[in-house]
């Protein structure tokens, strides 16, 4: 009785920090710009069988259609209404996706754009993905409805009406982010419109939300909205389950707004994670992998149970947002796989894997002039379907990092070692490092310019293990390097610095 009461109270208080994934599925994948139909297929044919816990989707609500440049990916961050109607699909397709993914135990997290509507210069008319009329100049959005008094103009004290100074807290929250019409979230009408939108999504079965631009909203306003949210749909979730909340707060230090201000609402995105890991793996600024020994809070990150982490996201993989040049992406595939491998092996945070589309990246004066390119599209502007090649990779310029063997197998690794402690750290003082996760898994990296040959304590039971990076266990055969763990847990590792992927990972489910 006492225990049940305790569990109930803990469940009620802490629900928003829990990703609500099914047991032993720990990672989320961001299927950036994918169509709902393709996501439904991917849940069934790939994500569920490979142990992915959930999918972050692009904003599902109606957005402005921008024609100069031609339908950039970022138009989806300019809402016109909360109708579920976008380039990814309509409401029927959305419902079908949530149902089919939930039915195979893969949950859906919605990117919620609630700080603002479209840009001030978006014009007037019905050039929106569902054809709803709006007028950006008069701040009229009848399809919500919002009108002038629902925006923050009177509160913003900057000269231009835009955020000009990130050291001025009220500007950051009450002025326009790059001219996006800033919602007055202190108004009951606005709070209830936003909550109605999120509750509709909860009713359809979503498991949680990425709160876009949370730094640009007062934590108490975000809380007032969250307090209006219903529990998750009991068709798929236990009664009383709260939506998982992770707030996009870019806090690299150096600004007055801190991620910790948002802990009361849910988790926050830890942007230092990808920026630092990229610097280390690139060996910039004198960084070495040996310094990763105290990775996590030891590096000044938010507490692990408040963090949502990733190597790159849809912004900083193309120079938007924060993180800078150190961010690793699929364009730097060899280093990227090591970084994602390290992230997935390490116990810190809830992990999100990025899944991108390719675009014609072209640098002029250090800036990618094609950073705006939308997803692969057909001549009529519709998004191309994700095709699957015979070798299981994706076609039509979808990169599908989550299907790269090394990344997919490390998603499995994280599930296998879930709950096990960080253990048996080893480093050579330079860029050769290794660590285990209790007696369930072990990983070793060689990011030095010379080969590695070392015997280490793995913590694993004796036996022959199949490396899940250079290949994997298939039935009872190993298509990869084999690692022999002796009765005392010791094993010898050999990694050439020019190996295709200079790291090895083994776990108890890959024992021969
Ligand atoms: C431009 C100028 C303005 C000018 C305006 C009017 O910059 O100064 O006033 O024109 O002429 C797009 C354009 C941007 C344009 C704006 C309004 O890129 O140049 O303003 O539209 O027309 C994405 C993109 C933005 C894009 C926005 C809306 O990254 O470039 O702006 O969508 O379409 C900060 C924030 C953080 C944010 C990050 C990018 O703290 O919250 O910047 N990250 C999230 C999302 C991101 C999204 C938004 C927030 C906004 O991850 O994808 O921005 O919803 O760090
Ligand atoms: Ca705001």
């Amino acid at each position: 009785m006492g225990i049940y009461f305790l569990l109930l109270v803990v469940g009620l208080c802490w629900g928003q920090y829990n990703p609500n994934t099914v047991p032993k599925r720990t990672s989320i994948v961001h299927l950036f710009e994918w169509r709902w139909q393709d996501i439904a297929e991917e849940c069934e044919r790939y994500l569920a069988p490979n142990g992915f816990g959930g999918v972050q989707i692009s904003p599902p609500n109606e957005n402005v259609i921008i024609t100069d440049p031609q339908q950039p990916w970022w138009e989806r961050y300019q809402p016109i209404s909360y109708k579920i109607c976008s380039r990814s699909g309509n409401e029927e397709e959305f419902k079908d996706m949530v149902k089919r993914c939930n039915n195979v135990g893969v949950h859906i997290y919605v990117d919620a754009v609630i700080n603002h509507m479209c840009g001030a210069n978006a014009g007037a008319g019905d050039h929106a993905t569902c054809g709803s009329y709006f007028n950006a100049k008069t701040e009229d959005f009848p399809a919500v409805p919002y009108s002038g008094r629902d925006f923050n103009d009177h509160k913003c004290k900057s000269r231009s009406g835009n955020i000009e100074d990130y050291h001025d807290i009220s500007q950051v929250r009450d002025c326009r982010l790059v001219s996006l019409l800033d919602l007055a979230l202190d108004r009951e009408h606005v709070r209830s419109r936003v909550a109605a939108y999120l509750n509709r999504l909860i009713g359809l079965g979503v498991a949680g939300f990425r709160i876009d631009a949370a730094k640009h909203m007062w934590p108490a306003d975000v809380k007032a909205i969250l307090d209006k949210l219903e529990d998750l749909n009991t068709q798929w979730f236990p009664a009383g389950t709260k939506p998982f909340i992770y707030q996009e707060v870019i806090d690299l230090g150096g600004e007055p707004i801190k991620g910790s201000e948002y802990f009361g609402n849910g988790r926050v995105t830890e942007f230092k994670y990808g920026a630092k890991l990229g610097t280390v793996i690139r060996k910039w600024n004198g960084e070495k992998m040996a310094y990763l020994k105290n990775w996590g809070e030891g590096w000044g990150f938010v507490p692990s149970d408040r963090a949502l982490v990733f190597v790159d996201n849809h912004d900083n993989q193309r120079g938007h947002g924060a993180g800078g040049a150190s961010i690793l992406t699929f364009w730097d595939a060899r280093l990227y796989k090591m970084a994602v491998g390290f992230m997935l092996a390490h116990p810190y945070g809830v992990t999100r894997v990025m899944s991108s589309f390719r675009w014609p990246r072209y640098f002029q004066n250090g800036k990618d002039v094609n950073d705006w390119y939308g997803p692969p599209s057909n001549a009529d502007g519709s998004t191309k379907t994700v095709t699957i090649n015979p070798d299981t990779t994706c076609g039509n310029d979808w990169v599908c990092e989550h299907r790269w063997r090394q990344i997919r197998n490390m998603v499995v690794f994280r599930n296998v070692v879930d709950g096990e402690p960080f253990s048996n750290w080893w480093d050579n003082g330079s860029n050769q490092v290794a660590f285990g996760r209790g007696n369930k898994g072990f990983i070793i990296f060689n990011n030095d310019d010379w080969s590695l040959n070392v015997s280490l304590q793995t913590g694993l039971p004796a036996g022959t293990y199949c490396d899940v990076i250079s290949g994997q266990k298939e039935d009872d055969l190993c298509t990869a390097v084999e690692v022999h763990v002796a009765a005392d847990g010791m094993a010898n590792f050999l990694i050439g610095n020019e190996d295709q992927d200079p790291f090895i990972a083994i776990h108890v489910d890959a024992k021969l």
Side-chain angles (χ1 to χ4, degrees):
M1 168 73 177
I3 292 227
Y4 286 111
F5 178 72
L6 192 73
L7 285 176
L8 186 71
V9 171
V10 168
L12 289 178
C13 299
W14 302 96
Q16 69 270 35
Y17 306 105
N18 184 325
N20 300 324
T21 47
V22 304
K24 293 290 165 190
R25 289 197 190 175
T26 56
S27 295
I28 294 173
V29 56
H30 179 19
L31 297 180
F32 179 46
E33 285 280 7
W34 282 43
R35 296 155 66 248
W36 309 149
Q37 289 176 11
D38 288 326
I39 294 178
E41 299 277 323
E42 191 71 351
C43 284
E44 294 168 346
R45 73 187 164 202
Y46 199 86
L47 300 179
N50 288 292
F52 285 81
V55 182
Q56 178 184 312
I57 61 166
S58 284
N61 60 296
E62 180 174 24
N63 62 263
V64 69
I65 294 174
I66 287 175
T67 47
D68 182 18
Q70 191 60 38
Q71 292 215 267
W73 63 268
W74 44 255
E75 70 172 32
R76 297 187 70 168
Y77 290 88
Q78 302 200 21
I80 293 299
S81 82
Y82 300 132
K83 292 179 187 160
I84 300 175
C85 190
S86 70
R87 269 210 271 183
S88 287
N90 60 30
E91 182 156 352
E92 279 316 302
E93 292 160 331
F94 182 88
K95 274 189 201 164
D96 181 62
M97 164 186 72
V98 177
K99 183 179 91 194
R100 287 166 62 189
C101 290
N102 278 340
N103 284 348
V104 293
V106 180
H107 296 152
I108 300 292
Y109 305 89
V110 170
D111 195 346
V113 185
I114 59 174
N115 169 66
H116 52 262
M117 300 298 279
C118 63
N121 293 331
D126 58 4
H127 51 292
T129 47
C130 224
S132 297
Y133 173 82
F134 70 98
N135 186 334
K137 203 176 179 100
T138 58
E139 302 181 322
D140 259 323
F141 297 88
V144 178
Y146 287 141
S147 58
R149 59 180 173 278
D150 296 317
F151 293 86
N152 268 335
D153 307 81
H154 59 289
K155 273 203 275 167
C156 168
K157 299 284 184 304
S158 80
R159 195 187 281 238
S160 63
N162 288 340
I163 300 167
E164 295 166 2
D165 178 6
Y166 272 80
H167 288 273
D168 179 338
I169 296 174
S170 51
Q171 245 187 52
V172 175
R173 289 172 172 155
D174 292 335
C175 295
R176 296 172 178 175
L177 168 63
V178 292
S179 93
L180 300 162
L181 300 177
D182 203 56
L183 283 166
L185 292 163
D186 54 347
R187 284 178 60 82
E188 185 51 34
H189 174 72
V190 178
R191 290 176 176 179
S192 67
R193 288 302 84 207
V194 170
Y197 166 50
L198 304 184
N199 276 330
R200 195 149 46 86
L201 297 167
I202 288 174
L204 296 178
V206 310
F209 302 99
R210 167 191 186 263
I211 307 290
D212 180 68
K215 185 199 216 166
H216 304 282
M217 300 185 272
W218 296 92
D221 287 342
V222 175
K223 179 169 190 303
I225 291 165
L226 298 181
D227 284 346
K228 292 180 186 288
L229 297 188
E230 283 150 20
D231 294 339
L232 298 187
N233 189 323
T234 52
Q235 193 178 341
W236 294 289
F237 303 93
T241 309
K242 294 229 174 285
F244 177 46
I245 300 295
Y246 54 108
Q247 304 160 94
E248 190 223 12
V249 181
I250 301 179
D251 172 10
L252 293 172
E255 283 177 27
I257 297 180
K258 301 280 168 248
S260 56
E261 294 169 40
Y262 293 82
F263 289 173
N265 297 333
R267 291 192 183 239
V268 297
T269 51
E270 178 49 278
F271 275 80
K272 289 174 190 156
Y273 194 102
K276 293 286 184 193
L277 192 54
T279 310
V280 172
I281 305 260
R282 289 181 190 276
K283 300 187 260 188
W284 285 0
N285 304 345
E287 294 285 6
K288 305 171 176 173
M289 286 190 84
Y291 299 156
L292 296 173
K293 183 174 184 177
N294 65 341
W295 185 243
E297 289 92 344
W299 278 61
F301 302 165
V302 301
S304 177
D305 61 1
R306 291 293 174 272
L308 185 291
V309 295
F310 43 91
V311 172
D312 61 329
N313 80 348
H314 71 282
D315 284 327
N316 62 21
Q317 69 170 200
R318 46 173 55 68
H320 285 237
S326 76
I327 297 297
L328 288 167
T329 72
F330 69 87
W331 296 106
D332 319 282
R334 190 167 184 266
L335 297 182
Y336 187 67
K337 285 178 275 183
M338 276 197 269
V340 177
F342 185 89
M343 171 180 82
L344 291 171
H346 195 281
Y348 182 88
V350 166
T351 48
R352 180 179 64 196
V353 170
M354 182 68 201
S355 189
S356 319
F357 57 80
R358 222 168 274 109
W359 73 96
R361 194 165 70 139
Y362 184 67
F363 287 103
Q364 265 172 4
N365 304 320
K367 187 197 170 339
D368 174 9
V369 293
N370 288 338
D371 67 347
W372 58 270
Y373 258 76
S377 19
N378 302 303
D380 64 0
S382 61
T383 301
K384 280 190 183 167
T385 188
V386 179
T387 52
I388 307 299
N389 301 321
D391 67 358
T392 79
T393 60
C394 298
N396 274 345
D397 276 327
W398 297 98
V399 183
C400 290
E401 296 92 314
H402 69 287
R403 281 175 168 256
W404 293 4
R405 182 190 65 240
Q406 301 83 346
I407 293 178
R408 177 243 295 145
N409 286 349
M410 285 307 297
V411 167
V412 173
F413 180 108
R414 189 175 192 77
N415 294 341
V416 172
V417 304
D418 186 31
E420 296 292 321
F422 180 75
S423 52
N424 291 309
W425 173 268
W426 167 83
D427 66 70
N428 70 341
S430 184
N431 292 289
Q432 301 181 347
V433 304
F435 63 94
R437 294 292 303 277
N439 57 7
K440 295 279 180 66
F442 192 80
I443 190 164
I444 173 164
F445 297 84
N446 178 12
N447 198 26
D448 270 327
D449 298 331
W450 57 90
S451 64
L452 170 155
N453 183 357
V454 68
S455 281
L456 296 175
Q457 176 55 250
T458 63
L460 296 184
T464 301
Y465 293 80
C466 185
D467 173 27
V468 299
I469 303 302
S470 57
Q472 62 206 349
K473 186 179 150 196
E474 280 168 20
D475 301 321
D476 267 334
L477 290 174
C478 178
T479 63
V481 169
E482 292 184 6
V483 177
H484 305 281
V485 176
D488 60 358
M490 296 292 290
N492 188 254
F493 296 92
L494 266 176
I495 307 177
N497 54 307
E498 285 180 350
D499 286 1
Q500 192 183 358
D501 294 304
F503 63 118
I504 291 175
I506 53 178
H507 59 71
V508 290
D509 282 4
K511 193 168 174 234
L512 295 170

